[in-house]
């Protein structure tokens, strides 16, 4: 049986890894972040990075600081702008491994999960914020079940991540990052369970496990 052709293009190769390494060095130089638990990220196979979300820079910084490239969703508008600004935005988000997602309808949400599944079936890392949006208070909210469903569907290992301080680097109302420090903690991997029926309670139970792990990482820091 042939493998279906991928619908999500993920940047790779020596030039991309060189650029990611340079970005990582610049982050460490400017922000002096505290990063722990990198050994918890499997070096091969599909992985879901499930993190809390405090700032616009979270996806870019997580992808740069992770041992492996992390592919995140980014809103479609970042890829469709016109003129030099639109080109710069599109080039940047493609370069950091993001892919466009349309937001608003149930069909859009389904398509986003399908793209995430595609990335995982390529044996890569897919990054997701189970809360679905950035927090303005720092509190950990209720998780949505998309990460759990993807793990069950693909067998991907889940690595919970706690981020603290990136809201000081770039708050919601800011246009550019500041040289503040921050902390990223990669937690103990959570293996994907085999599919059970009914599916709903299993997805919710796994989601609660993920959110509890994220909250513990944040509280411990």
């Amino acid at each position: 049986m042939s493998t279906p052709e991928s619908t999500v293009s993920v940047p790779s190769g020596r030039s991309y890894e060189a650029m990611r390494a340079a970005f990582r060095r610049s982050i460490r130089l400017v922000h002096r972040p505290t990063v722990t638990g990198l050994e918890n990220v499997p070096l091969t196979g599909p992985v879901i990075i499930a993190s809390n979300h405090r700032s616009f820079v979270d996806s870019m910084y997580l992808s740069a600081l992770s041992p492996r490239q992390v592919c995140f969703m980014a809103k479609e508008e970042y890829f469709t702008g016109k003129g030099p600004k639109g080109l710069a935005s599109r080039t940047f988000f493609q370069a950091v491994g993001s892919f466009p997602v349309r937001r608003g309808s149930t069909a859009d949400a389904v398509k986003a999960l399908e793209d995430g599944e595609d990335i995982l079936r390529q044996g890569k890392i897919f990054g997701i914020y189970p809360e679905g949006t950035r927090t303005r208070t720092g509190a950990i909210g209720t998780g949505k079940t998309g990460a759990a469903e993807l793990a069950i569907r693909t067998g991907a290992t889940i690595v919970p991540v706690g981020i603290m301080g990136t809201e000081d680097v770039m708050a919601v109302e800011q246009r550019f990052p500041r040289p503040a420090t921050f902390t990223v903690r990669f937690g103990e991997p959570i293996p994907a369970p085999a599919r059970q029926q009914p599916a709903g309670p299993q997805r919710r139970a796994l989601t609660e496990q993920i959110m509890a792990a994220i909250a513990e990482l944040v509280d411990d820091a």
Side-chain angles (χ1 to χ4, degrees):
M1 182 175 179
S2 62
T3 302
E5 185 178 351
S6 171
T7 59
V8 180
S9 176
V10 178
S12 60
R14 291 184 179 179
S15 60
Y16 171 75
E17 285 302 326
M19 181 187 65
R20 195 167 77 94
F23 189 32
R24 179 167 56 249
R25 287 193 294 270
S26 69
I27 292 171
R28 292 189 180 279
L29 179 63
V30 173
H31 299 291
R32 306 288 183 183
T34 299
V35 183
T36 61
L38 291 174
E39 69 279 3
N40 290 323
V41 181
L43 296 180
T44 60
V47 176
I48 296 171
I49 293 291
S51 174
N52 63 320
H53 192 16
R54 292 176 178 252
S55 171
F56 174 78
V57 302
D58 290 344
S59 299
M60 295 170 281
Y61 285 15
L62 268 176
S63 187
L65 294 169
S66 171
R68 295 167 58 194
Q69 175 191 5
V70 184
C71 302
F72 280 94
M73 296 180 284
K75 63 182 180 179
E76 189 178 47
E77 290 78 2
Y78 292 142
F79 296 84
T80 57
K82 305 296 183 182
K85 184 177 180 181
L87 176 61
S89 174
R90 182 166 57 255
T91 300
F92 177 78
F93 280 96
Q94 289 174 339
V96 297
S98 296
F99 64 94
V101 59
R102 185 178 300 167
R103 299 178 179 179
S105 70
T106 301
D108 295 333
V110 170
K111 177 61 167 59
L113 283 182
E114 289 175 347
D115 288 343
E117 181 179 358
D118 185 7
I119 288 168
L120 292 169
R121 292 199 184 281
Q122 295 178 51
K124 300 182 183 298
I125 300 184
F126 178 59
I128 191 169
Y129 303 113
E131 296 166 281
T133 187
R134 281 178 287 180
T135 178
R136 289 179 177 267
T137 65
I140 304 296
T142 301
K144 303 182 187 300
T145 59
E149 172 60 24
L150 283 174
I152 295 168
R153 194 182 296 180
T154 65
T157 299
I158 304 160
V159 176
V161 173
I163 297 178
M164 293 70 67
T166 51
E167 69 277 18
D168 297 324
V169 174
M170 191 170 182
V172 175
E173 68 278 2
Q174 286 179 237
R175 296 187 62 186
F176 301 101
R178 297 183 299 185
T181 192
F182 61 92
T183 298
V184 179
R185 303 186 72 198
F186 292 85
E188 292 285 339
I190 301 172
R195 173 76 72 184
Q196 297 176 4
Q197 297 297 338
Q202 184 190 27
R203 283 195 299 265
R204 176 44 58 187
L206 182 55
T207 300
E208 294 301 326
Q209 182 182 359
I210 294 168
M211 298 311 297
I214 293 172
E216 183 176 359
L217 290 166
V218 172
D219 289 344
D220 285 351

